[in-house]
Coordinates of all heavy atoms in Angstrom, one line a residue:
Q137 N 121.7 90.6 109.1 CA 120.8 90.4 107.9 C 119.9 91.6 107.7 O 119.4 92.2 108.6 CB 119.9 89.2 108.1 CG 119.2 88.8 106.9 CD 118.5 87.4 107.0 OE1 117.4 87.3 107.5 NE2 119.2 86.4 106.5
V139 N 116.4 92.7 106.2 CA 115.1 92.1 105.8 C 114.4 93.0 104.8 O 114.3 94.2 105.0 CB 114.2 91.9 107.1 CG1 112.9 91.3 106.7 CG2 114.9 91.1 108.1
T140 N 113.9 92.3 103.7 CA 113.3 93.2 102.6 C 111.8 93.0 102.5 O 111.2 93.6 101.6 CB 114.0 92.8 101.3 OG1 114.0 91.4 101.1 CG2 115.5 93.3 101.3
D141 N 111.2 92.0 103.2 CA 109.7 92.0 103.2 C 109.2 91.5 104.5 O 109.9 90.9 105.3 CB 109.2 91.1 102.0 CG 109.7 89.7 102.1 OD1 109.6 89.1 103.2 OD2 110.3 89.2 101.1
V142 N 107.9 91.8 104.7 CA 107.4 91.6 106.1 C 107.3 90.2 106.5 O 107.7 89.9 107.6 CB 105.9 92.2 106.1 CG1 105.3 92.0 107.5 CG2 106.0 93.7 105.8
P143 N 106.9 89.2 105.6 CA 106.9 87.8 106.1 C 108.2 87.3 106.5 O 108.3 86.3 107.3 CB 106.4 87.1 104.9 CG 105.6 88.1 104.1 CD 106.4 89.4 104.3
A144 N 109.3 87.9 106.1 CA 110.7 87.4 106.5 C 111.1 87.9 107.9 O 112.1 87.4 108.4 CB 111.7 87.9 105.4
I145 N 110.4 88.8 108.5 CA 110.8 89.4 109.7 C 110.9 88.4 110.9 O 111.9 88.3 111.5 CB 109.9 90.6 110.1 CG1 110.2 91.8 109.2 CG2 110.1 91.0 111.6 CD1 109.3 93.0 109.3
P146 N 109.8 87.6 111.1 CA 110.0 86.6 112.2 C 111.1 85.7 112.1 O 111.8 85.4 113.1 CB 108.6 85.8 112.2 CG 107.7 86.8 111.5 CD 108.5 87.5 110.5
D147 N 111.4 85.2 110.9 CA 112.5 84.3 110.7 C 113.8 84.9 111.0 O 114.7 84.3 111.5 CB 112.5 83.7 109.2 CG 111.5 82.6 109.1 OD1 111.1 82.0 110.1 OD2 111.1 82.3 107.9
A148 N 114.0 86.2 110.5 CA 115.2 86.9 110.8 C 115.5 87.1 112.3 O 116.6 86.9 112.8 CB 115.2 88.3 110.0
V149 N 114.4 87.5 113.0 CA 114.6 87.7 114.4 C 114.9 86.4 115.1 O 115.7 86.3 116.0 CB 113.3 88.4 115.0 CG1 113.4 88.4 116.6 CG2 113.1 89.8 114.5
V179 N 101.6 87.1 108.3 CA 102.9 86.8 108.9 C 102.6 85.5 109.8 O 101.6 85.4 110.4 CB 103.4 87.9 109.9 CG1 104.6 87.5 110.6 CG2 103.6 89.2 109.1

Side-chain angles (χ1 to χ4, degrees):
Q137 190 169 85
V139 181
T140 52
D141 59 51
V142 178
I145 289 173
D147 279 341
V149 171
V179 179

